[in-house]
Every structure is written in structure tokens, then in C-alpha cells.
Amino acid sequence: MDDAGNIPNSGNPSHKVIAVTAGEAHTLLLTGDGSVYSWGRGMFGRLGHGSEKDELLPVQVKFQNPNGGEADTPKIVAIASGAYHNLALAVELFCEVLQSAYTEDLFGHMIFKGRFILLEFVFCRNNSSFCVLTDDGIYILDYCMDGQLGTDGEDTPDENSIGGVYNLAPHLLNKFPESHPLDSSTGVSEVQGKGSIKIHAVKAGGMMSMAIDNRGTLWMWGNCPQESKGEFSLVSSFIPMPILAFHGLNVAKVACGNEHVVALVSAGESNNGEDLVCYSWGFNNHGQLGLGDRENRAHPEVVKTFDEESPWTIYDIACGAAHTALLTRKKKSTELESKCWTFGLGDNGQLGHGTTQSALFPTPVQDLPQDISLIGIDCGLFHTSVVSSSGDVWSWGMEKGLGLCPDAGRGSSDSGDALSPLLKPCAPYQPKFPDPVQVACGAAHTVIVARDGYKVWSWGRGRCGVLGTGNELDCYTPTKVRWPPPTEDSEEEESKSSLEQDREKEKEAEVKTETDEKLSSALNELKQLQLKLSTMEQYASILHGCVFGKPFAEQDVPASLKDSGSFNIAKEWENMLETADHRTLMRLEMFYRDMLAGVKDKQMKRRIKEIVKECLQSPEPKN
């Protein structure tokens, strides 16, 4: 049973997780004091620790002050992960109190205020970028081949980079170009008219990176869906470029899969949560855009199910490799009832519709309870997970909703894809996750933050330590992540405690061994006594049957033996004869007559043998 009600370190912001994100085989946590921790596969430097070493437990990522110096480091307020890279949004150094850097919208999502720098640390290969946004421009963090790092490759990599392709640690590079949309009425750049860009949110997909600024403009770089030479394709963009289709609109939230993008956009001056319209674009070979066909889109197009006339308000979105999931509530409704919609590729049941059919239009997941309030959703490559405000977690898709690839299957009778939502209990006797915060899905694993941010669980593929449990084993049920990570002092105390525990275990083992030996001896003695008793009971029953013609029963035990524990056979025999009926007396007479005859016969035979023996031993008479 989980330690319900006992929240360790509650109130310590360095131990409180406020956000979690997962990549192909790595996981990131953001804590209340602005620190970032990562673990899992270290290939391509995606963990940001300065090496490509795998980490089995959470390890803090070190950020350098972009203004120089070592006293102050950036305070991170948002994180995002692509397949092999990550983004981190940092509040500028003059904002001393992290909590004052954000507020919440109508749905409890964080809205950042003030000035920020986007430390997009690219622990990635082939497409990823990290930008730093300040008053005099936007600075990028890394150099990469196909643009996720947001650079054109002209900068010289330092000792933290590998072959000019990817960096092993968060790194600040060159300025973001001044390519901002113009105001059609004045012909002046919006940056000049409204001041510096301040990034409010970041997001990353498989090979692309995104950011939303204070004006509601969406920026994209990396492998971006575009129209090139009259044909649709993914084009490598080495610098963040604005999505001009949303000029004059406010982008509130964005999600991206391997090759498609979904955005929630408000037509009003400010987002009140009720006027959001859903747009999608990119590859659409499985209907992952929700537009009713399989035609690719180079530019954003409205998903008609969730247009301005829709009765539904979307408040969360997520993308898998080729499927999309959304959470909605009814507009202008005081009820907290949620509905989950999915569309796109369904080969592994990742849509949760009970089949392996793909869906071209948004379709509700019918097997979820109807009276729940869902607070979070995320997609892995081929699985989907949602969490409710009451702590229920459902998963569906590849390998029972674990997201495990086929070669990781157990091969047992209960393996296979989950075509409908499966409830994931926190523990065998604790079905709900206490005080849930967020769910995040990697390619083949899932992470849940609960206990109001002080506990983390994970399950799925465990290779390279992606589950944060200290080993590389696959977990088919939720297992606690080693959080908060142990410090040197705690490790020393843990070592001492472990030594004491080992000694206690040795003593317990000795006592247990001695007790087991005594118990084993007592059991053997008891077995021998039971065997003797059984033999005596069998003998008494046979003898009683011979004398009285019936099996021995409990009522046949003499009263004197029951009362006093002693037995006077002469007296009992007299009492028995006194109470016996004629038939019993006749039987006794026959029994003892036969016994007497047998005794006499035996005596006669023995006497004859003695006479014969005496004759044989006597000397022969002499002639």
C-alpha cells in the first residue's frame, strides 16, 4: 500500500515536479525551483549532461548563464522534448521569484508573464534548436544538420559539440534573424511596433521545434511541413520561422507528431478558452489531420469538428507518430465532464475505438467513463494515455497500452495491443494515483506525476534506464521513479542505513534459520506421533471389531477412562457384562470359546513339538 497522506519534502520547491516531458527514450522533469532533471538514453547528448552516457536515475541538467558568470543560472519555467532533442524556456535573471513568472488560464494551464529567454538545449541529432530570447534579439543554442537546433551551420562548434552535428550540453549560439511578419497598415515589423519578442511556451515533436511568443505568433524550425517547388514535403528550416497563416490570430497551444502539427488558435485579442479553433497541417496519409481525407496539407486548415460553431471547447491536445488526441468540454457549461477524441492511424489500437481501423474524422473514445474530468493527455508513438482529476489513468494502444514495440512483447497469452482503454492502477490495492499532476508518453514508456508533484511513477520499456527506476527492466505496471534523486549526504546515510539493514537482515536470517530448524524438528516429531496414533487407532478398531462385531467408535470409550484418565479393566468388564443384551452375551461366549479352543490347540501343538524334540535329542538304544 502506498504511503497515503505522507508526502515527503512537501513544500520544498526543488522536490516538487511541475512539468514532465518524454522523448524517444529519455525523460525530463521540471521542478518548482526552476531546475531540470533528465534520465534515460544519452546517445546524441539528449540528456544534456555533457556526455552520451545513459542515466538510470534523474540527474540535474546544468545551464550556463547566457550573460556569463557562475553565480546565477537560468531559472527554467517550461520544457519540451522531441525524439532526440529538448527545449527549455527560462525566465530572465532579474525575475527572482519563479512563482511570480506565471499565472493560470481558465483550465489551470500555466501562462507565463514577464520577460523570458528560450534556452532550447538540443540534446539531439539531425534537427533541433535552442533559442534565447532577450530584449535585443533571439539567440539560438546549437548547431545541427537539419535545423532542429535553429542554426544555419555557420557557427563553429565548441568542445561540447560532436562533429558539428549535435551538442552534449545546453549551448547558446547566434542571434535569431529579424524575420517577423509586417503590419499591413504600416509596413513596420511587429517587433518594432510592439517591442521585443517574449516566448511564452515551447513544444517539440519528432524532428521539429516550436515556440509561441507573447503576441500569439507560432514559430517553427527543424523538419517542417511545407510546400517546396509546388509539392508537399518536410523541409529543413535552420532558423525559427513564423507561421504566416496565423497572422492576426493568437495561437494558444500546439502539438506535433512525427510529420504533422495541430494547433489551437483564438480569433480574439486574448484567449478566454471558449473561442479556440483547431487547425492541422502536415502529412495526412492516415487521417491524422482529422480533415476527413488522406490528403497532405502544407498550410494550416480548420478541423471542422472543432471550428467556431462547434459546441466543444478543446483544452488539451497531443500527437503520436501518426495519430492525434484531444480533450474537450462543452462550451459555457459548468459541468467538468470531459470527452476524449482521437483520429489518425489505428493499427495498434492507439485510437481506443475498439478496432484497428484508422479514423479520418475526430471520434470520441466511447469506452471511457462519461462522468469524468480529464486533466491531461499524451501520446507515444503508438499508444495514448489520459489521467483524470480523481487519479484514474487509462492507456490504450501497442502492447496493452504500454507502447512497447513488438520485439519487447512477453509472448504470453495476455500480451497484445489494447484496442480500448485499460485502467492502470497505481498499486495492486490502490487503484488511483493520489493528487495527479500530469502524464507524459515517450516512444515506448509512460510517466505519471502525482502526489501534487512529489511522486513520479513510470512503466513501459526500461532500456537505457528510461523509466528512472535505477535499472533497465521493462515494467508492465506503474513503478516509482527514484525521486527526489539522492544527494551525497543522503547516499552516505543510505549506505549506513543499508549496512545496518544488512546486519539486521543477517540477524533475522539467523533467528529465522534457528526457528525453522526447531519448527522442522517439532513437525517431524508431530508426524511420528500422528503415525503412532493412527496405528493404535487401527489396532483398537480391529480388536474391537473382532470382539463386538462392529467398528470402534468414540461412544465405545469407557466412561471411567473419559472421566479419570485411568482404566480398571476388571470393573469395566463386569459393567459391560451387566449391561450387555442376550445377543451380545452370545457373541462374547462364541468369541471367547473360539479363543479358548485356539489357545488349547496352540498349547497342544507346542507340547507335541516339545515331545518330538526331546525324542530326537535322546541317545539311540544300544543293542
Side-chain angles (χ1 to χ4, degrees):
M1 183 70 71
D2 189 55
D3 50 343
N6 182 19
I7 304 177
N9 304 309
S10 58
N12 187 342
S14 66
H15 294 163
K16 181 181 176 68
V17 178
I18 62 174
V20 60
T21 181
E24 178 261 345
H26 69 286
T27 309
L28 267 69
L29 292 182
L30 172 62
T31 60
D33 66 344
S35 300
V36 175
Y37 292 79
S38 64
W39 67 89
R41 182 174 295 168
M43 185 183 294
F44 310 139
R46 74 192 78 179
L47 300 183
H49 300 153
S51 72
E52 295 188 87
K53 176 187 173 184
D54 295 344
E55 295 291 350
L56 307 186
L57 296 172
V59 177
Q60 186 173 359
V61 179
K62 301 298 183 182
F63 293 90
Q64 293 182 351
N65 187 337
N67 297 322
E70 298 181 356
D72 296 320
T73 58
K75 301 299 182 183
I76 308 301
V77 293
I79 54 176
S81 294
Y84 313 115
H85 72 289
N86 308 280
L87 309 178
L89 182 65
V91 65
E92 283 199 291
L93 301 181
F94 64 81
C95 296
E96 296 180 357
V97 183
L98 179 65
Q99 285 76 5
S100 67
Y102 60 85
T103 182
E104 293 183 351
D105 64 10
L106 296 177
F107 301 104
H109 301 124
M110 288 190 297
I111 299 176
F112 300 104
K113 59 186 180 180
R115 301 193 299 174
F116 297 90
I117 53 178
L118 175 54
L119 292 175
E120 308 173 286
F121 50 101
V122 192
F123 324 139
C124 100
R125 182 174 185 168
N126 290 345
N127 285 346
S128 177
S129 84
F130 310 151
C131 299
V132 176
L133 302 161
T134 60
D135 283 344
D136 59 350
I138 302 177
Y139 296 85
I140 47 188
L141 296 182
D142 211 353
Y143 173 83
C144 193
M145 186 182 299
D146 291 329
Q148 303 103 291
L149 305 185
T151 178
D152 55 9
E154 295 178 356
D155 298 278
T156 302
D158 64 8
E159 65 275 7
N160 285 322
S161 65
I162 302 297
V165 177
Y166 54 92
N167 270 5
L168 301 180
H171 185 60
L172 173 64
L173 289 182
N174 57 346
K175 281 191 175 183
F176 190 91
E178 295 287 342
S179 57
H180 311 301
L182 298 179
D183 188 316
S184 58
S185 62
T186 63
V188 177
S189 167
E190 290 188 6
V191 173
Q192 297 174 11
K194 295 187 178 181
S196 302
I197 293 176
K198 303 175 184 66
I199 293 298
H200 280 191
V202 290
K203 194 67 178 181
M207 290 291 183
M208 63 182 93
S209 301
M210 296 182 168
I212 302 174
D213 66 22
N214 56 310
R215 297 166 296 131
T217 301
L218 176 63
W219 301 81
M220 180 185 296
W221 60 100
N223 274 2
C224 307
Q226 295 180 18
E227 188 173 349
S228 177
K229 298 180 181 180
E231 295 183 357
F232 174 82
S233 64
L234 291 179
V235 179
S236 296
S237 175
F238 290 91
I239 57 175
M241 299 297 294
I243 304 300
L244 300 179
F246 296 138
H247 178 56
L249 304 176
N250 292 294
V251 178
K253 181 170 282 193
V254 66
C256 44
N258 282 2
E259 300 172 326
H260 74 290
V261 185
V262 179
L264 303 184
V265 182
S266 173
E269 287 292 328
S270 61
N271 170 31
N272 60 14
E274 294 286 341
D275 62 345
L276 295 179
V277 177
C278 183
Y279 287 80
S280 63
W281 69 101
F283 273 97
N284 193 33
N285 49 337
H286 299 289
Q288 57 262 47
L289 300 186
L291 302 175
D293 56 41
R294 299 178 187 270
E295 297 296 324
N296 301 327
R297 302 298 199 281
H299 305 289
E301 190 167 319
V302 175
V303 180
K304 295 188 181 300
T305 308
F306 306 110
D307 59 13
E308 293 182 3
E309 304 300 323
S310 172
W312 303 100
T313 294
I314 304 176
Y315 61 92
D316 204 1
I317 53 177
C319 295
H323 75 287
T324 306
L326 326 119
L327 298 182
T328 66
R329 293 191 180 99
K330 283 196 172 181
K331 289 181 179 178
K332 299 178 181 179
S333 174
T334 57
E335 297 181 0
L336 297 179
E337 182 178 331
S338 304
K339 187 178 288 291
C340 177
W341 308 68
T342 56
F343 47 95
L345 181 65
D347 284 359
N348 299 105
Q350 57 265 53
L351 301 185
H353 298 160
T355 71
T356 56
Q357 299 294 318
S358 296
L360 305 183
F361 289 102
T363 305
V365 179
Q366 299 291 354
D367 288 344
L368 286 173
Q370 300 301 309
D371 57 347
I372 56 173
S373 174
L374 299 174
I375 62 172
I377 188 167
D378 204 12
C379 300
L381 288 181
F382 307 107
H383 75 289
T384 307
S385 295
V386 294
V387 58
S388 74
S389 58
S390 62
D392 290 313
V393 175
W394 291 268
S395 289
W396 58 90
M398 182 172 279
E399 189 61 28
K400 292 295 181 183
L402 296 169
L404 297 179
C405 296
D407 62 345
R410 288 165 286 176
S412 59
S413 59
D414 62 344
S415 65
D417 298 338
L419 307 185
S420 299
L422 293 179
L423 190 63
K424 297 289 183 182
C426 177
Y429 302 102
Q430 184 181 355
K432 296 180 183 293
F433 289 83
D435 307 316
V437 174
Q438 188 182 349
V439 58
C441 295
H445 73 288
T446 303
V447 182
I448 288 286
V449 178
R451 275 264 187 259
D452 197 31
Y454 291 98
K455 285 290 184 181
V456 184
W457 284 262
S458 64
W459 62 91
R461 176 172 287 186
R463 297 179 187 177
C464 305
V466 67
L467 301 182
T469 56
N471 57 55
E472 300 183 73
L473 301 176
D474 294 345
C475 291
Y476 301 97
T477 56
T479 304
K480 286 184 180 179
V481 173
R482 185 79 174 276
W483 181 261
T487 61
E488 293 182 1
D489 292 339
S490 64
E491 287 180 349
E492 185 177 350
E493 290 296 326
E494 185 177 349
S495 177
K496 292 180 180 178
S497 176
S498 177
L499 182 59
E500 292 176 357
Q501 290 178 1
D502 290 342
R503 291 174 179 171
E504 289 295 330
K505 287 180 180 178
E506 289 178 1
K507 292 180 180 179
E508 290 176 1
E510 292 177 359
V511 173
K512 184 176 183 300
T513 301
E514 184 179 353
T515 303
D516 289 344
E517 291 176 353
K518 291 181 178 179
L519 179 61
S520 178
S521 176
L523 289 175
N524 288 333
E525 186 177 352
L526 178 61
K527 186 180 293 185
Q528 293 297 326
L529 291 174
Q530 288 175 337
L531 182 61
K532 291 181 180 179
L533 176 62
S534 177
T535 304
M536 294 296 293
E537 287 178 345
Q538 186 178 9
Y539 175 75
S541 182
I542 293 173
L543 182 60
H544 191 273
C546 292
V547 177
F548 300 102
K550 63 178 182 178
F552 181 75
E554 185 177 357
Q555 60 267 24
D556 296 323
V557 177
S560 61
L561 187 60
K562 286 182 181 181
D563 297 337
S564 63
S566 60
F567 184 65
N568 187 332
I569 189 170
K571 185 176 180 181
E572 288 296 337
W573 178 253
E574 183 179 347
N575 291 338
M576 183 182 65
L577 293 178
E578 192 70 29
T579 58
D581 56 14
H582 178 71
R583 184 178 178 180
T584 301
L585 291 175
M586 291 292 294
R587 180 171 180 80
L588 288 174
E589 182 182 7
M590 291 177 59
F591 175 76
Y592 286 106
R593 184 184 298 165
D594 292 341
M595 286 185 64
L596 182 61
V599 170
K600 289 182 178 180
D601 185 55
K602 191 66 176 177
Q603 288 177 338
M604 183 177 294
K605 287 180 179 180
R606 286 184 178 178
R607 181 58 187 159
I608 292 173
K609 286 182 179 180
E610 290 174 356
I611 294 173
V612 172
K613 186 176 181 180
E614 290 176 357
C615 293
L616 293 175
Q617 291 177 350
S618 59
E620 295 181 1
K622 296 180 179 180
N623 293 328

